[in-house]
Each structure stands twice: as structure tokens, then as C-alpha cells.
Amino acid sequence: MPDTSTAAEIRLEKLTKVYPGSDEPAVKDVSLTIPAGEIVVFVGPSGCGKTTTMRMINRLIEPTSGDIFLDGENVTHMDASKLRRRIGYTIQKIGLFPHQTIFDNVATVPRLVGWDDQRTTDRVNDLLDLVGLDPSTYGERFPKELSGGQQQRVGVARAMAADPPVMLMDEPFGATDPITRERLQNEFLRIQADIGKTIVFVTHDIDEAIKMGDRIAILKEQSVIAQYDTPENILSAPASEFVSDFIGSGASLKRLNLARVRDVEIDQMLTVTADTPATEMRRILEDLDRTTLLLLDDEGRPIRWLTAKDIDKISGTRTADTVGMPVIALVEPQATLQDALDEMLRSNGGCAVVVDGQKRYQGTVDMETAIDAIRNLREISEEHLRKERDAGSPAAGASATREEGAA
Amino acid sequence: MSSTTASAGALTEGPTIPRWLRYAGTPVVLALVTWATLAWVFSQDLLSRETALLNTEKIVDETIQHLYLTVVATLVVLLIAIPLGIMLTRPWSKPVRPLFLGLANLGQATPSFGVLVLVAAITGNVGNGVAIFGLVVYATLPVLRNTMVGIQQVDDHVIDAARGMGLSPLQVLLRIELPLAVPVMLAGVRTTLVIVVGTAALAVFVGGGALGLYIQNGIQLASTPVLVTGAVLTAVLALAIDWLGGIAEDLLRPKGL
């Protein structure tokens, strides 16, 4: 995708919100720099003011005091509607316009900022493709004709439509079931790898924060920043008891959310297609001393696991794709090891098949690989911390400062 | 008003009755009823004071007058109640909301006959103006209330998303809130139309003429043909307008809802 606009840095300075009729501020003196092109996750218990803080960035909530800078420009007092056209916005409840087609929904901001029809049409079609919805099939449908996951994809496409340098996402995948959520998260990470926007992402789920965030801001009451750091550092060195309580037990397990399938060594299975004669299959198993084969379809997509017993069942009337165990556990390279382990456990197997965006076979990853990877991660981060401590670096695991964020 | 609520279910209605039949059935029945009534009326031995009323020209004139009162009163209601309804859903109007709703409620709660006569007594006037004024006072509430309810029932998240994408408050109103309020608003307009067309039969008491003339004279002259003509034509007119309202609701409802 030809993206010309660059991501913008967001800087919040002593941002405070006091609601009328309340003595205590809902958000108190938040200062924070969100580096251009990174995903920063605001995470914290409910009522900590994370959504309020996010909504002050596009001024859906007007700050009582403090300043907001976008790419160095003070936007605290500019026309709010104009500001919002530069900031993508998605929310948990999506809020698609029910009386407009999917195409018109996505075209909202490009039309607002005066793009011509051709440019708008091209952009909307590109975006629908990008989020995996065929424009000719879905463009003229209405939101209620789409599933929850599809609507969520449209919501993300709509937020990106005018190519804003900054996006705000308030629990964008929170309303979907776990499997759809995992898929949407992975798709979004794949898209972000291409577009590199500055993204503020709000969630209450620390696992999601670890998975999605380049940095995480853990917020406590009144949006006071308890720690602002990379997921690795937050897991290795929680800055306070509040942070370690919030991460909860099993910090090592949570590292599974940090490592991606593409980072670990992928194994190769023996693969056959339905055209392969049964005798040939048996020969391969015996020659190479393996117990299972992976059956691929014509497009190279995995469909069945075949053992020697399964192969015996193949006859003139039973083709290879009707015997053996169906392949259930599928992961994409950008999925986390946590996702991969989930898939393995769900499918009752010891390994998951890695596939690309078109569901074509890439390799497999098994449980031992995943566990080794976690062990490595922990050693690396402990090593890293030890070095920082030895060097007397003040930044290690300390609570956030603007300088650190900007570094 | 049962017809209004019934139309709300039209979307979920199965293929039991084809749409064209629903649309075509009503006018056929109404035309038959009108024809049968008039045929019966004209087959009676009529006295001269009855034929003064029961001739085609006079009947057409008074029917047109009845329609005139209905349409003008409804238009005035729309002009007042829709902007007022929009205004009363803006956050800044919260303090005055009960006042306006109270006034509209008062207008409708007072018996329609009372409203008309009261207006005539207070202004010391009779004629079309007074009749229309009385009808407007009486029939504003449905449009006002449905405009407000229609706008208030729009999903908050849809409005939040619209504002978050940079639509100005006016754009949010015109592109999101009003289109999504249309079905509820149309139901209100249809209710008002039906109320007005029925109540316009009372306009005769404030010098507004219309089909009420036949009902009033029918009673005074103790003439069944005159009374039946007025009663049946008023009913037919009300049903015909409700039928038109139903079609309008179907056609104007935004797609996708």
C-alpha cells in the first residue's frame, strides 16, 4: 500500500480532566510521549481513566487543563472536528452507520476532507481488500448483513480511510469471541507492520496489551502512570507492587504473548497430496521412519493428518481426504506463541500448522519449540536487565518520563 | 392508531401478503364503500333541503375543504414540531424540555372539540384560520414526541463514532441522527395526519365547513342520508390518508435498518 503520510508523535503535557460537580479529577496531570509509528497500549483496571485519557487526544472529551501536541503542533484549542479528521478512531461497539453501505461507511472521512470520487473509490476498495473483505461482495451491503468480526474489520478500515498519521483504538476487539479476536489482532499487527501508524490502544486485558504493544502504559487511578515501558521490561522488572499485581502470576507464561511464530524455528512435515498413490505414501513413511504425513489440497492448504493406519483405509471408494484426522490447529506467522499453544491445546495435538494469509502450508511448530522459546526469552531479558543494572542505567524499569519516551 | 403500530412490523412481515396487494387492496375497498354509499344515498327520495347538500358539486367542494384543512394543519404541525423536536434533543435545551412537552401534552389532552371552540371564543373569530389553529394545537404532540424519541433512540456509539471521525455537530444531525430517526418520525406524522383528518370534521363548529357539515346537518335535519354521507366520507378520507402514510413510511425508511 502506498502510504505517503508519515506517522506523528503524540505528546501529552499535564493533561487533566475534572468533570463538573466533581472535586477529584478523573485524569490528573498525565504527561506522556507516544513515539511516532509505535503502538502504545493504555492498560489498567476499570475506572482508571484510560478511556478518558485516550478520548482527550481527539478531544471527544475536552481537557480541563494541559496540552496536546500532534507532531509538535499544539492542537489543544484548534477546531475539534478538523482535528478528528486527522485521527483515526475505532471503538469496541464499532458504531458503523446502519443506514449507509459498507462502502459509504469507509468513505466517510475521505469525503469529509474533500477527496475526489476516484481517489475515494480506489482507497476504499484497497482498504476493504486489506482487511480481507472483497469490495465487490461487501461494498454495497449494509452493516447488519455482516458478522461481528466483519463489522469490526470495517470499523478498522473506516478509521484508516483518510490515511491518518494517528489512530485511537478503544478496546477494538473486545466485543468479539476469543478466536475471532485472536485473528483480528494478528491481522491488525500484519497491517500495522506495513503502515506503521502511531496507535493508542486501550484495553483492560494485560495479555492483549503485551501482544499488541510496542510500549505499554500501565495506569492506576486518575490515569497516574504506574509504568511506561516495553512489554519485555514490564514483565521482567515491574516498577511497583501495583504493576506486578496487575500483571498477575505467571509472568513467564505471559512472555508467550511476546514471541511470534515467525521468530521460532519452524519444522517441516512430510507432505503429500490426494494424487499421491497409497503405496507411495507408505514407502515415504517407512523410508524416512516417520509416523504421520500431512495431506495438502491442490492449493497447498493442509487438510488431513495421515498415519499408516489411515493410509490402509484408502481404497477406490475412499480417497485420502476422507481418512485421518482433520487439521484444526492453524496459525499465521505473526501469531504469538500463546496463540499457537492455544491452538495445540484446542485441537488436542502436539503441534500447530503454520499457514500464510491464503492458508497455504508453511511448516509446523510444536510444543517443545514453544517451551524452548519461552526459556530463551526469559534468559535474554534477565541478561539484559543485569547489564542495565550493572551499567547503572536509571531508566531500567523505572516509571515513565517524557524524556525516556522520546528516546 | 393501531394501523401505525402495525406498520412497524412490516419489515419482519413474511411473504404472506404480497406488497402490491397490500397497497392495492385498501383503495379498492374504499372506492367500493364510497360508491355503494353514494349509490344508496342518491337512490333515496330526498327532500329539497337534503338535495342542497347531497349533490356532487357540494360533496366534492366540502371534501376538498376537508383535505385542505388537513393538509395545511399538518404542514404547520411539521414546520413547528420537527424543528422544536430537534431543538429539544440538543443538550443545551434540557432545562426547557419539560415546558414544551407539557404544553404539547396539554394541547392533546384537552378534548379536541374544546380546543376548537376555545380558540374561536378567545380570538372571537371563525373560519379556516381558527379551524387550522385549533387542529395544530391539538395534533402537534405526535410529531414532536416522535421526533424527539426518534433522535434519542439513535445508538450512542454510532454518534460517538461519527463525532470521533470529525463530523461537525450539524453534519452529525443531518447525516446520522435525522436519517436514523426517520422511521419513528414518519410514524408520528402518520398519527398526526389521522388525528387531523378525523378532528377536521369538527371544523364546522368554528365556521370551517368540511365534511362535518354533513354530520351536523344530518343530525339537525334528522336525515339519515346526509348523516351517513358525512360519516362515511370522513372515515374513507381518514383511511385513505392512513394508507398513503403507510406507503410513505415504506418508501422513505432508510435502507439497511
Side-chain angles (χ1 to χ4, degrees):
Chain A
M1 177 143 308
D3 273 300
T4 48
S5 82
T6 47
E9 178 195 82
I10 305 169
R11 201 166 87 232
L12 310 180
E13 262 181 25
K14 289 192 168 295
L15 214 53
T16 297
K17 178 67 189 180
V18 188
Y19 283 106
S22 159
D23 299 333
E24 285 292 299
V27 173
K28 193 176 169 187
D29 277 345
V30 174
S31 294
L32 186 72
T33 297
I34 295 157
E38 290 198 4
I39 301 182
V40 168
V41 183
F42 290 177
V43 63
S46 57
C48 72
K50 53 190 188 292
T51 297
T52 307
T53 305
M54 189 201 82
R55 286 166 64 91
M56 279 196 280
I57 296 174
N58 66 355
R59 297 192 18 236
L60 281 169
I61 294 175
E62 288 287 352
T64 312
S65 65
D67 288 292
I68 307 147
F69 295 87
L70 205 63
D71 222 4
E73 176 195 351
N74 190 331
V75 296
T76 325
H77 304 290
M78 76 172 281
D79 182 282
S81 299
K82 290 212 176 79
L83 169 66
R84 290 177 200 143
R85 288 169 201 174
R86 289 159 53 184
I87 302 177
Y89 183 61
T90 55
I91 52 178
Q92 182 183 351
K93 296 291 169 82
I94 319 172
L96 294 183
F97 305 147
H99 60 305
Q100 293 185 0
T101 61
I102 299 308
F103 184 96
D104 288 337
N105 265 282
V106 179
T108 304
V109 184
R111 285 174 180 160
L112 273 182
V113 297
W115 288 17
D116 62 50
D117 282 353
Q118 191 54 48
R119 188 176 172 204
T120 304
T121 306
D122 292 346
R123 175 68 177 164
V124 172
N125 289 340
D126 282 352
L127 278 171
L128 288 177
D129 269 334
L130 185 67
V131 297
L133 297 170
D134 177 25
S136 59
T137 311
Y138 291 97
E140 294 312 309
R141 293 202 186 165
F142 287 97
K144 71 166 182 191
E145 298 170 291
L146 270 56
S147 71
Q150 289 171 332
Q151 291 188 23
Q152 207 56 263
R153 291 184 172 93
V154 176
V156 172
R158 186 173 69 168
M160 298 194 301
D163 202 12
V166 168
M167 285 177 61
L168 307 181
M169 310 183 83
D170 188 359
E171 305 211 19
F173 311 128
T176 44
D177 64 87
I179 295 169
T180 310
R181 185 185 319 152
E182 180 199 310
R183 203 164 293 157
L184 289 172
Q185 287 169 341
N186 293 338
E187 279 176 15
F188 186 72
L189 287 171
R190 191 185 67 212
I191 294 169
Q192 166 68 0
D194 287 342
I195 61 178
K197 300 290 178 196
T198 309
I199 290 163
V200 179
F201 191 108
V202 167
T203 180
H204 62 269
D205 176 0
I206 184 71
D207 290 315
E208 186 172 54
I210 292 167
K211 176 173 180 181
M212 302 301 287
D214 293 314
R215 280 162 208 261
I216 299 175
I218 296 187
L219 305 178
K220 46 188 185 186
E221 267 190 19
Q222 301 183 323
S223 264
V224 172
I225 298 168
Q227 187 166 4
Y228 180 42
D229 211 328
T230 60
E232 287 88 348
N233 288 345
I234 284 177
L235 286 177
S236 318
S240 64
E241 207 165 316
F242 176 84
V243 175
S244 39
D245 282 352
F246 191 76
I247 298 170
S249 57
S252 343
L253 267 180
K254 291 198 192 315
R255 286 204 175 77
L256 284 172
N257 283 317
L258 283 175
R260 312 278 165 194
V261 169
R262 59 166 182 260
D263 301 333
V264 301
E265 203 169 314
I266 288 179
D267 303 322
Q268 288 301 327
M269 275 286 148
L270 294 170
T271 61
V272 292
T273 63
D275 300 336
T276 316
T279 48
E280 174 75 7
M281 291 185 189
R282 263 184 229 110
R283 198 187 55 77
I284 295 174
L285 277 184
E286 278 161 23
D287 284 2
L288 295 164
D289 195 24
R290 298 282 188 105
T291 53
T292 45
L293 288 172
L294 184 60
L295 179 70
L296 306 181
D297 70 5
D298 298 340
E299 310 285 328
R301 291 179 295 225
I303 40 179
R304 295 268 173 172
W305 291 109
L306 301 179
T307 62
K309 266 186 192 162
D310 297 322
I311 294 169
D312 290 341
K313 290 182 201 150
I314 299 174
S315 63
T317 48
R318 293 199 69 178
T319 51
D321 52 1
T322 59
V323 298
M325 289 251 295
V327 176
I328 302 170
L330 295 176
V331 290
E332 291 191 26
Q334 67 273 15
T336 63
L337 290 182
Q338 170 85 58
D339 299 334
L341 271 182
D342 278 349
E343 286 287 330
M344 291 176 208
L345 294 174
R346 206 157 55 79
S347 67
N348 247 338
C351 82
V353 180
V354 184
V355 292
D356 66 9
Q358 278 73 49
K359 302 243 180 294
R360 284 188 303 250
Y361 171 78
Q362 303 285 302
T364 60
V365 52
D366 63 15
M367 212 153 297
E368 277 158 48
T369 315
I371 290 164
D372 283 349
I374 303 164
R375 199 173 295 135
N376 276 341
L377 274 172
R378 193 173 54 200
E379 279 162 13
I380 291 167
S381 71
E382 276 166 4
E383 179 101 341
H384 175 70
L385 274 175
R386 211 174 306 126
K387 271 187 199 153
E388 278 192 340
R389 230 176 269 132
D390 293 347
S393 161
S399 67
T401 60
R402 276 195 298 110
E403 289 71 28
E404 182 195 339
Chain B
M1 252 55 69
S2 61
S3 55
T4 314
T5 46
S7 78
L11 256 188
T12 52
E13 200 170 288
T16 42
I17 309 169
R19 196 180 240 212
W20 67 267
L21 197 62
R22 273 193 294 132
Y23 287 162
T26 308
V28 169
V29 171
L30 293 181
L32 279 175
V33 168
T34 310
W35 174 80
T37 307
L38 292 180
W40 173 76
V41 165
F42 287 122
S43 72
Q44 303 294 302
D45 289 330
L46 296 173
L47 304 170
S48 65
R49 56 188 186 208
E50 287 173 326
T51 48
L53 289 164
L54 292 176
N55 60 75
T56 317
E57 199 187 336
K58 180 76 175 159
I59 291 176
V60 169
D61 278 357
E62 294 305 333
T63 306
I64 288 174
Q65 166 68 5
H66 201 111
L67 276 174
Y68 169 79
L69 290 178
T70 303
V71 170
V72 174
T74 303
L75 285 180
V76 174
V77 166
L78 297 188
L79 284 177
I80 294 172
I82 291 179
L84 191 62
I86 291 170
M87 192 196 84
L88 292 179
T89 53
R90 302 301 97 185
W92 46 261
S93 69
K94 209 170 181 182
V96 295
R97 214 170 285 169
L99 176 73
F100 282 97
L101 273 182
L103 281 177
N105 263 314
L106 197 70
Q108 194 175 35
T110 317
S112 45
F113 188 59
V115 173
L116 281 172
V117 173
L118 216 65
V119 171
I122 291 170
T123 59
N125 253 327
V126 289
N128 280 346
V130 173
I132 289 169
F133 187 83
L135 290 175
V136 169
V137 170
Y138 184 59
T140 298
L141 185 65
V143 177
L144 178 67
R145 193 187 44 209
N146 279 36
T147 302
M148 293 179 66
V149 170
I151 291 175
Q152 282 162 349
Q153 51 93 45
V154 175
D155 188 346
D156 287 342
H157 302 294
V158 172
I159 294 175
D160 184 47
R163 294 179 61 219
M165 282 190 291
L167 272 75
S168 68
L170 185 66
Q171 286 168 332
V172 173
L173 175 69
L174 295 179
R175 298 189 192 183
I176 310 297
E177 290 178 289
L178 281 180
L180 291 175
V182 158
V184 181
M185 288 168 70
L186 282 175
V189 174
R190 191 174 171 188
T191 307
T192 285
L193 267 171
V194 173
I195 290 177
V196 169
V197 79
T199 312
L202 299 173
V204 65
F205 297 106
V206 292
L211 293 172
L213 194 71
Y214 288 85
I215 300 174
Q216 188 206 21
N217 278 303
I219 295 169
Q220 274 177 1
L221 304 173
S223 160
T224 307
V226 174
L227 183 63
V228 166
T229 304
V232 170
L233 286 186
T234 305
V236 165
L237 213 55
L239 290 169
I241 281 184
D242 184 58
W243 170 75
L244 280 175
I247 293 178
E249 278 185 33
D250 284 353
L251 294 183
L252 297 177
R253 176 186 295 121
K255 283 185 206 155
L257 295 189

